[in-house]
Amino acid sequence: MAKINAYTTTAPSGGIKYQQVDIKESPGNVSLKPLMTGICGTDRGIVRGSLSFAYDPEGYDFLVIGHESLCVVTDSSSPRFKKGDHVVPIVRRPGDCPNCRIGRPDNCSDGKKHEAGITGLHGFMRESFNEFDYNLVKVNDTDLGDVAVLTEPMKNVVKAFEVFDRVRSRFIFENVYSTFDGKNALIIGSGNEAFLYSFLAKDYGFNTHMINRHPIGMVPTDLCESFGVDFIDSSKEPDFPEDFKLDLIVDTSGDPEAIFRYLRKMSHNGVLILFGTNGKAPATPVSGEDIDFMVERNITIAGSVDAAEIHYLKALDYLSKWNRLHGGLMKKMITNVFQPGEVGLFTTKPEGEIKSVIKWN
Ligand code: NAP
């Protein structure tokens, strides 16, 4: 057992503490210290007690929270990593199902996988921990610096676009020039994941719109301008003209009302990716006409959760590319930096936040 300072919750009921806890030394051939850990909507959902799928590790009545992390290697007996390397730990750990066995625990088919900081495995918001080298991805681009803390949220986006690529292959989705020019993507929400989705949708060539029910701050506006993303404040602007059609919707809100509102703007062969989760969002009515609409238009609705090692590697490539192309702007994605011990950021989202992080000393 080791005594260690950590952010803990009790899953799934919620709450948050920064406290010294007794936990078993985590097994692994690489010792790590976190440099930065990010806070995402999932962490806040767990702390609010609105994500019923979260649970404590066996033998504990608490869960060390945190799954977005950039760490430095402090000791290693692995030939793959040396002291001083920067690494990102993989969140999901495989169970025994066929998908887990082929290295795709993100597609786990019996739910017996674990996720650090979420389901049955302690997370990364603690002073130090050990990992096996096969659970680590190395950050080779030293110019990335702090931006590498976005690898974990970005890997979700890469996986979701893999899902999009698979489902769109059932028909010709592209235009006559085999590109996405002229196609419209809508990203619902304006949190960290929504920004990363918008950037990748732009990379694909979509006219990309991001929507929320309130304005965004100056840094988010600069990011939208630099990437060419159109932000819509639905409290001020009418959503879209009558004849406007969406080809791809990615929801990061988990709000059924918003999802079904925009689903009704879908073009034929449109694809909706469900990504956001909010078990406490109110129900919304779905009519028979809505079902007819989806059937008649061949609309695909696909959920997408987590990602595999390959997506972490691709995520690092995208972050490096955007970091080069957009100068210092990617660093501005990290809008709020906190010290270990602060807990308010888990319950109250700071104004203008894209990504809040805890910087470990
Ligand atoms: P976040 O910052 O909380 O993002 C959610 C966004 O949705 C916020 O900008 C929120 O706006 C907006 N929103 C809520 N209701 C809306 C509505 N009716 N219309 C428009 N926008 C609305 O969280 P995140 O870190 O970016 O993550 C996004 C979501 O994905 C979260 O639900 C998280 O739990 C989930 N998630 C899923 C996976 C996965 O593998 N599927 C992985 C990570 C995260 P306000 O903040 O202004 O309310």
Side-chain angles (χ1 to χ4, degrees):
M1 289 296 233
K3 276 202 190 306
I4 200 139
N5 286 320
Y7 280 96
T8 64
T9 185
T10 308
S13 56
I16 186 76
K17 283 183 193 155
Y18 183 70
Q19 59 174 346
Q20 196 174 65
V21 287
D22 275 325
I23 44 179
K24 264 191 242 149
E25 197 86 50
S26 47
N29 55 356
V30 184
S31 303
L32 302 169
K33 268 190 186 301
L35 295 168
M36 270 191 179
T37 51
I39 289 127
C40 90
T42 303
D43 298 315
R44 291 196 175 112
I46 296 171
V47 168
R48 260 197 322 271
S50 60
L51 298 181
S52 57
F53 52 75
Y55 61 94
D56 297 338
E58 211 179 305
Y60 290 91
D61 57 3
F62 63 87
L63 167 75
V64 176
I65 203 166
H67 56 279
E68 295 182 2
S69 182
L70 169 65
C71 297
V72 63
V73 173
T74 53
D75 196 12
S76 169
S77 57
S78 158
R80 291 179 54 205
F81 300 100
K82 60 177 188 323
K83 193 173 170 181
D85 283 350
H86 285 194
V87 296
V88 175
I90 290 174
V91 176
R92 233 182 225 215
R93 308 301 161 88
D96 206 25
C97 80
N99 283 305
C100 284
R101 286 195 208 181
I102 60 155
R104 291 300 303 259
D106 56 315
N107 293 333
C108 176
S109 38
D110 62 9
K112 291 187 181 150
K113 45 67 191 161
H114 292 95
E115 289 156 308
I118 305 173
T119 51
L121 191 68
H122 287 310
F124 308 135
M125 288 197 192
R126 47 181 152 150
E127 288 169 316
S128 62
F129 52 96
N130 302 321
E131 276 295 354
F132 288 107
D133 51 6
Y134 51 78
N135 287 325
L136 298 173
V137 176
K138 188 170 168 192
V139 181
N140 289 311
D141 177 1
T142 48
D143 288 345
L144 261 186
D146 295 347
V147 175
V149 77
L150 301 176
T151 308
E152 198 283 335
M154 183 61 206
K155 87 0 174 159
N156 297 324
V157 175
V158 176
K159 190 264 180 93
F161 267 83
E162 175 189 277
V163 172
F164 164 65
D165 285 334
R166 295 253 162 109
V167 296
R168 77 179 165 82
S169 67
R170 73 191 180 109
F171 27 63
I172 298 171
F173 185 97
E174 300 91 323
N175 61 27
V176 287
Y177 304 105
S178 296
T179 72
F180 295 93
D181 282 354
K183 297 272 169 186
N184 289 307
L186 175 69
I187 316 299
I188 307 175
S190 58
N192 170 64
E193 296 282 7
F195 272 90
L196 295 171
Y197 271 111
S198 302
F199 299 165
L200 192 49
K202 273 306 285 186
D203 242 55
Y204 264 62
F206 282 99
N207 298 326
T208 305
H209 312 270
M210 180 164 51
I211 204 154
N212 206 331
R213 313 134 299 173
H214 55 69
I216 48 174
M218 261 166 63
V219 170
T221 304
D222 287 350
L223 278 158
C224 283
E225 274 172 14
S226 186
F227 277 82
V229 172
D230 167 42
F231 177 73
I232 303 165
D233 171 0
S234 63
S235 71
K236 293 213 183 82
E237 298 172 53
D239 290 349
F240 294 107
E242 188 66 32
D243 57 351
F244 183 87
K245 294 282 172 277
L246 290 164
D247 301 289
L248 168 66
I249 300 177
V250 180
D251 175 65
T252 73
S253 74
D255 179 353
E257 190 281 323
I259 295 167
F260 277 91
R261 176 150 31 105
Y262 299 116
L263 191 61
R264 292 175 188 122
K265 298 295 298 174
M266 269 285 189
S267 64
H268 290 268
N269 301 341
V271 177
L272 163 66
I273 303 283
L274 296 178
F275 179 81
T277 48
N278 178 3
K280 296 242 162 107
T284 199
V286 179
S287 66
E289 218 177 301
D290 291 325
I291 303 296
D292 295 356
F293 178 89
M294 290 186 265
V295 173
E296 287 299 316
R297 290 182 181 229
N298 275 321
I299 286 168
T300 311
I301 302 181
S304 182
V305 68
D306 197 72
E309 183 174 357
I310 181 71
H311 308 110
Y312 283 80
L313 296 170
K314 288 185 182 171
L316 278 162
D317 287 346
Y318 279 116
L319 292 175
S320 286
K321 178 172 114 178
W322 295 336
N323 198 38
R324 276 198 309 277
L325 287 177
H326 297 272
L329 217 45
M330 281 305 285
K331 286 194 176 58
K332 293 195 176 176
M333 291 276 291
I334 301 166
T335 45
N336 305 75
V337 180
F338 296 87
Q339 296 301 311
E342 300 208 37
V343 289
L345 66 157
F346 286 90
T347 47
T348 312
K349 199 175 191 177
E351 197 146 322
E353 173 195 84
I354 300 181
K355 174 56 69 189
S356 285
V357 297
I358 295 160
K359 196 173 174 122
W360 298 75
N361 297 314

